[in-house]
Amino acid sequence: MELTVWRTFVTVCRLGSLSAAAAELHHTQSAVSRQIAGLERQLGVPLMERHARGVRPTPAGEVFRRHALTTLTEADRAVRAARDTHDGASGRTLAVGATPSLATGIVPEAVRTLLRQAGSVRWSMLPALSPELHQRVLDGALDIAVVTDAPPGLPHDQRVERRFLGLDEMVVALPVDHPRAGRGPVHIHALADQIWAEDNDGSAALLRQHAERAGVGARIDLVAADLPGKLALVATGHAIALIPGVLTRALRTDVTTVGLVDPPARGLYTITPRHDPHPCAAPLLDHLATAFTSIRPGAAPVTPLSDPARAAGPGRSRA
């Protein structure tokens, strides 16, 4: 079996669409369909099924997807290792994953410190939401991921090592000419009449939980495709938004922030595979902790695998 066909199948599973996979792989949709059909004939079992919004793997297809992803990851590592050896580079590429907010702040800073101390290390970074990053660590595609316990939370998975970095308090992003800009922390009541924008379910859940505890509602009328899109809605005055505190130093110049009274917070964690860890993963963990406390000076101190509920303290959202 050709790995190209396996890669096509894994891409279709990830995107849930034959047309989207064709666009990403620069194939025609009919070519993707033929590859999937040929793979099903070779295996003798149906791998995909249609549903209202696209396609998804059958139970047999999901089992094959997991094994195929592991095989493709190892194949990619084999290619990189051969090239690294030929080029005289030492060690394998360090594959790092991070949520979008962490990918703009503490992760690049921590990797910069790592490179200063460890010398030449090839690395890559994948921004994604925590559930996807967790799965990619399990699949062997990532050596380390920096994730959060924002809803839906983090699973207690014995296949990975998890380390608590600290608590990140959420803040409210405002356009620079907003009446609340430049003021001290505000109560959520003062923002009850505002329109909010959100870009993911986890952040929206934190906002709703915080508002409900205060006995008010949060009008999430605008939904953005990603974090830059959410900040664009804020900058142009269409909405305000709940954002991670770690973003404060990396904001665009037409957006400012204001703190909340008794703000919701999310725990930051690193996850690494228990087996075959990358040699640079351990030092990077320490650099990540240092980078977090430098970006968020008031952050909770790092404690190994702290109990999230106990670390949160009273009034913090830990869902």
Side-chain angles (χ1 to χ4, degrees), residues 123-141:
W123 71 289
S124 63
M125 184 167 70
L126 171 71
L129 297 181
S130 295
E132 180 181 349
L133 294 173
H134 178 268
Q135 185 59 49
R136 286 182 177 258
V137 170
L138 293 178
D139 292 336

Side-chain angles (χ1 to χ4, degrees), residues 71-137:
T71 300
L72 291 169
T73 299
E74 288 304 313
D76 290 341
R77 283 182 171 175
V79 171
R80 290 196 299 266
R83 289 173 177 169
D84 288 346
T85 301
H86 176 74
D87 295 338
S90 60
R92 68 179 191 257
T93 299
L94 175 65
V96 182
T99 62
S101 61
L102 297 168
T104 64
I106 72 170
V107 172
E109 181 140 344
V111 172
R112 179 178 61 178
T113 305
L114 173 69
L115 297 180
R116 284 175 178 169
Q117 296 184 2
S120 177
V121 176
R122 295 183 60 174
W123 71 289
S124 63
M125 184 167 70
L126 171 71
L129 297 181
S130 295
E132 180 181 349
L133 294 173
H134 178 268
Q135 185 59 49
R136 286 182 177 258
V137 170

Side-chain angles (χ1 to χ4, degrees), residues 127-292:
L129 297 181
S130 295
E132 180 181 349
L133 294 173
H134 178 268
Q135 185 59 49
R136 286 182 177 258
V137 170
L138 293 178
D139 292 336
L142 292 175
D143 296 301
I144 181 171
V146 193
V147 298
T148 82
D149 62 3
L154 290 175
H156 292 281
D157 196 321
Q158 296 301 315
R159 294 170 292 178
V160 299
E161 295 278 358
R162 192 169 82 181
R163 178 178 175 180
F164 177 62
L165 289 178
L167 286 174
D168 182 30
E169 293 184 347
M170 307 293 283
V171 297
V172 179
L174 309 168
V176 291
D177 58 353
H178 192 279
R180 294 283 174 179
R183 299 191 181 185
V186 299
H187 197 283
I188 189 68
H189 284 111
L191 304 172
D193 62 340
Q194 300 286 300
I195 293 175
W196 296 79
E198 272 304 344
D199 66 321
N200 69 78
D201 293 340
S203 179
L206 286 177
L207 173 59
R208 289 193 179 98
Q209 290 167 5
H210 181 71
E212 287 171 3
R213 285 199 307 272
V216 297
R219 291 179 51 196
I220 306 177
D221 290 353
L222 298 176
V223 178
D226 51 26
L227 187 56
K230 180 162 76 169
L231 292 175
L233 290 172
V234 173
T236 49
H238 294 291
I240 63 176
L242 191 71
I243 64 170
V246 292
L247 273 180
T248 302
R249 282 197 344 199
L251 285 178
R252 46 191 289 175
T253 57
D254 48 4
V255 173
T256 188
T257 63
V258 64
L260 285 168
V261 175
D262 191 21
R266 59 186 193 157
L268 305 186
Y269 296 82
T270 59
I271 53 174
T272 52
R274 288 188 179 273
H275 303 292
D276 190 28
H278 193 285
C280 290
L284 182 57
L285 291 174
D286 296 330
H287 298 321
L288 285 165
T290 302
F292 175 58

